[in-house]
Amino acid sequence: MSIIKAILVDDEQRARNVLSNLLKRCNLEVEILAKCASLPEGVEKIKELQPDVVFLDVQMPNYAGYEIANFFDEMNFDIIFVTAFDEYAIKAFELSAIDYLVKPIDRNRLIEAIEKLQNKLEKQKKIKDYQLLLNSIKKKEFKQIILPELGNRRVLALDSIIAIEADGSYSKIYTTDNKPVTTSKNLKYFENLLPEDTTFFRSHRTWIINLKYVEVVNKSSLNIELTQNITAKIARTRFTSFEDTIR
């Protein structure tokens, strides 16, 4: 389950704290990026931090929460309205809000709202996956892959991958941004996935390397030194094939 990034907007500090503490006690996968005391402050933080969802109080001084639509040409985030009055829920649904909560917030309703949002976000990710697939087929080129991580998924440019190392039934991917990524897919998965006309080479039963990043090959120690001080292995039986590939 991916972490949901959220912003809380409520003019009452106590209400912001109550919702924040409730989210923590429910052990929900929600990261609070900011707590805002007014709609203009909330709008500023939304534009800066790009949250997945905004918990938005309906009744606030100067601006009602549902007036948020006046500040955006397009809203690429979801809204969960928080209100002390049921009547305002109608306004929320007119804005296609994901859900609404009535104060005092019920723990089970909060969990239900987050689960509903999570399901929606997962569907949006699947749509992006299919769009990536469609673009690759149309262009007849493969420049990136969708990488299953532990609890997440990310899109990686193939050129940014230095090497992939087997880690039991998992794989560790070394990239040019200095941050290895662990994924639940094994090395065979990537060997089958990577296009044949790329610079990737299966050097060992535990390694796939990107030939672009090879710096030193040591035949006696059966090691290949890659960019960023990464040392990969090469099987003795793979040397001939390796030499033919890099010529």
Side-chain angles (χ1 to χ4, degrees), residues 29-159:
E29 298 291 322
V30 178
E31 177 187 357
I32 300 173
L33 302 179
K35 301 177 188 178
C36 305
S38 68
L39 186 58
E41 181 188 354
V43 168
E44 183 179 339
K45 287 298 183 182
I46 290 167
K47 291 179 178 179
E48 175 189 349
L49 302 175
Q50 300 292 307
D52 298 311
V53 64
V54 177
F55 288 89
L56 182 60
D57 185 30
V58 172
Q59 194 174 46
M60 293 184 291
N62 300 323
Y63 293 97
Y66 54 78
E67 291 183 88
I68 192 171
N70 297 332
F71 292 86
F72 295 90
D73 294 327
E74 181 182 357
M75 294 195 295
N76 56 356
F77 54 90
D78 285 295
I79 300 173
I80 296 178
F81 280 104
V82 183
T83 175
F85 306 97
D86 269 319
E87 61 191 88
Y88 286 109
I90 297 173
K91 292 282 188 181
F93 284 106
E94 286 176 354
L95 284 175
S96 300
I98 186 69
D99 214 334
Y100 74 99
L101 301 168
V102 178
K103 295 179 180 180
I105 298 173
D106 177 76
R107 177 191 180 102
N108 291 330
R109 277 288 295 120
L110 176 61
I111 294 173
E112 179 185 326
I114 294 298
E115 288 177 346
K116 187 176 178 182
L117 174 62
Q118 184 71 49
N119 290 335
K120 180 178 179 180
L121 293 177
E122 286 300 323
K123 287 179 181 178
Q124 289 174 344
K125 283 184 179 180
K126 289 180 181 177
I127 291 173
K128 289 180 181 179
D129 292 353
Y130 284 116
Q131 288 173 339
L132 174 60
L133 171 65
L134 184 60
N135 288 337
S136 295
I137 293 174
K138 283 182 177 179
K139 295 179 180 179
K140 295 184 179 180
E141 59 182 5
F142 299 89
K143 292 185 176 180
Q144 52 192 13
I145 59 173
I146 294 173
L147 180 64
E149 290 183 86
L150 293 175
N152 204 354
R153 288 145 60 145
R154 76 167 70 183
V155 176
L156 266 187
L158 291 180
D159 280 348

Side-chain angles (χ1 to χ4, degrees), residues 203-204 218-223 233-243:
S203 64
H204 189 270
N218 191 318
K219 194 168 184 178
S220 60
S221 65
L222 298 178
N223 286 335
K233 295 180 180 179
I234 183 166
R236 197 174 301 277
T237 55
R238 298 292 292 156
F239 250 106
T240 301
S241 178
F242 173 75
E243 291 173 341

